[in-house]
Amino acid sequence: MSGIILSVALCVLLGGCKKSDDPVDPYELRTGEPVEGIRIAWDYSSMQRLAPQGNRVLSWVGYPRVRRLNDGRLMAVYETHGNGELVQSADDGNTWSEPVITFKQHTYTNGRGETTDVNIANTELIQLQNGDLVMACNYRPAKDEIAPFAIAVRRSADGGQSWTESHVIYEAGPRFKDGCWEPAFLQLPNGELQVYFANENPFLTSDEQNISMMFSADNGISWDEEIKTVCFREGRRDGMPVPLLVNDEIIVAIEDNKIGQFKPYIVRTKVSENWQTPVLGNSPNRESALKEPLPDAVYAGAPYLMKLPSGEVILSYQTTSGRSADWERSTLEVAIGDKTGRNFTKLSRPFAVPLDREAKWNSVSLWDEHTVVAAATTSFRSPNCEVWIIRGHVIPELKAQQATISTDGNLTQTEWENEWPVFIGHRSETNLRAGIRKDGDKLYVGVDVNDKQLTSDANNLLRADGVYLYLDANNQNLLEPGEGLFRFWCNYKGETKAEKGDRGQWKAVEVAGAKAVAKTKTDAGYRIEFEIPFAAVQKDKHSDVRINLGLVDYSQYEGIQEENLANSVSESSNTWCRVAIQ
């Protein structure tokens, strides 16, 4: 709500109003919509190249998907050189196996004796309720009018040690414009295994495309001949489906070119209805995924979905937003939705991709209970496309637990219990973890920083490696520094400074009883404990607080580089993380 509109409301409530010629305070009532819920903090130090491995040279590698299996192993599948490949890790991703071909490029000969290579694309993997593994891929003939485009599957009943022969379950037309594409799996609670794919085969006389689905009642051994239409927008091309089970619904992320470029949409059905009625273009069961719509000219395609253990749905896609109009130079973007798979916000970009490079054909999946992993085909480190993964720490909704803290910079197990829900470290190997505590009338924030090279300027305590703690003591959600906002600085040497918000600026103050103690670590980095008396920041005892942390990495050549908590803006407390105090 704007200050003008709110002022009118106050006039009505209070029975009075300023005269039109009275001076207007430009900082009065400058509040913003608060950013709530979980966030994802990408970890630069976790980045790995999965393919190619060693000195292999690959002309193309793409569509990576990563799965955590029931026995703790990690499996990743992708396409390369016309084949499907698989790598796996038994040590939580520290090392990966040599690649194994899962689906092999082959030669097809038709009844007229004509031949074509059939390439493998879009390999997908699911572990079923009974532990079996099922893979799918897209057969893509190199030449038209010889072999059909198709969806094929393989199964393993022994954890991936052996696999059945490739079995084609669906055939489309023998030409690129009438093909089928991008299979993705879902298993329902009753055991029904479904495979979704984009399908041009029903539209031989047009460029339209729908999302189709086939199902198996016996864990993928056999497949029903019925082809269900999941969704279709007349005159357009619903594409690249990824299904997810959310509460009592099946939701599917698709790319939809309703107007202009493709955008991520969600279509849905009740599990009990199971696509009895296709979701058409004007159906209420079709919704734009992003809460803030992108301009028509911006491309955002190739969506992917996953669900966190806490219930929130995560969406990824590739986009030209803020880049050139060339969709080939798209980059991976991730958004966080609610527990129904709607209102996707808090956008982030896992990889820093130059404008002349790309990060496409992505996926997101669960690494562990507190961590997600994004995988992409990207050229951000090399002129050639490679498969890279990066982990993202899920920052939960924060609570300040009761504890007795001795502010000495030691961060002991007894005091902090190794609970560090906050992470910052997307820009470099330097990163921090932080925890939050209270003792009834004081707030404590413990920070553990990994930094291989500690740097400072002896003449300026702010020109040093260190941490800012930002505090909105009464959850005011201001857009600029104002009354009730504080910023506390402590560098690795323990030098401190306190500032208070004042009409859009930070001004140095003394905050009675506030302190911070830093200690360098014997390996690399430092620890800080902040102690802030609630009375000194005029906290209302009934209010939650908002905090932000700014990790400063100082270099005499590059100056001060500050990285804030995910989706936070240092000057705007409405973007900081809310911390429950009660």
Side-chain angles (χ1 to χ4, degrees), residues 405-416 420 446-448 517-521 527-529:
I405 305 294
S406 176
T407 309
D408 54 14
N410 286 323
L411 304 183
T412 65
Q413 165 75 20
T414 302
E415 295 173 322
W416 295 96
W420 311 107
V447 179
D448 190 342
V517 177
K519 285 193 174 181
T520 56
K521 299 193 292 188
R527 299 183 177 97
I528 300 174
E529 281 180 312

Side-chain angles (χ1 to χ4, degrees), residues 64 77 86 114 179 227 277 351 357 379 459 511:
V77 295
L86 177 151
E114 300 168 318
I227 310 297
T277 303
F351 300 101
R357 302 292 178 87
S379 57
N459 298 317
V511 179

Side-chain angles (χ1 to χ4, degrees), residues 49-61 78 80-81 85 99 378 382 384-388:
R49 187 182 71 171
L50 292 192
Q53 294 189 14
N55 295 320
R56 295 175 75 205
V57 177
L58 301 178
S59 58
W60 164 251
V61 59
Y78 52 88
T80 181
H81 272 321
E85 286 189 349
T378 177
S382 163
N384 301 316
C385 281
E386 303 168 327
V387 168
W388 281 79

Side-chain angles (χ1 to χ4, degrees), residues 527-565:
R527 299 183 177 97
I528 300 174
E529 281 180 312
F530 290 93
E531 176 184 322
I532 312 296
F534 287 139
V537 293
Q538 299 178 324
K539 181 190 176 307
D540 184 323
K541 66 179 181 179
H542 300 295
S543 174
D544 292 336
V545 304
R546 285 189 176 269
I547 71 163
N548 174 40
L549 290 167
L551 173 61
V552 173
D553 197 8
Y554 172 71
S555 164
Q556 61 177 326
Y557 304 107
E558 298 180 2
I560 295 172
Q561 302 291 324
E562 179 180 353
E563 182 181 353
N564 286 267
L565 201 154

Side-chain angles (χ1 to χ4, degrees), residues 182-199:
E182 301 114 11
F185 288 116
L186 178 68
Q187 189 171 32
L188 300 185
N190 66 3
E192 178 180 302
L193 177 61
Q194 301 179 331
V195 62
Y196 294 72
F197 54 95
N199 196 1

